Amino acid sequence: MKVINFFKESAAELKKVVWPSKDDVFSSTKVVLISTVVIAVILGLFDYLFTSGMNLVF
């Protein structure tokens, strides 16, 4: 009966969870998307610079 006990305890724990509001989720998603784009641009710039430097050397 460990499985049944596990599901009962899981349901009890899920009732204690405080879910984030719609605004919290939206702002967190916005932060993740913006930071991902910024990091991608920085890495792309570094890649371009290193590739251009290697083409000059070789």
Side-chain angles (χ1 to χ4, degrees):
M1 296 304 173
K2 289 183 180 181
V3 173
I4 294 171
N5 194 27
F6 170 78
F7 284 113
K8 283 182 182 178
E9 290 177 7
S10 296
E13 288 296 321
L14 282 174
K15 289 179 183 176
K16 297 178 188 177
V17 172
V18 178
W19 298 101
S21 68
K22 187 183 266 188
D23 291 334
D24 290 339
V25 172
F26 183 72
S27 66
S28 297
T29 303
K30 194 166 39 171
V31 168
V32 169
L33 290 175
I34 290 171
S35 60
T36 301
V37 169
V38 169
I39 296 297
V41 168
I42 291 170
L43 288 175
L45 182 63
F46 280 141
D47 182 48
Y48 175 76
L49 292 174
F50 288 138
T51 303
S52 297
M54 289 302 229
N55 286 337
L56 286 175
V57 172
F58 297 107

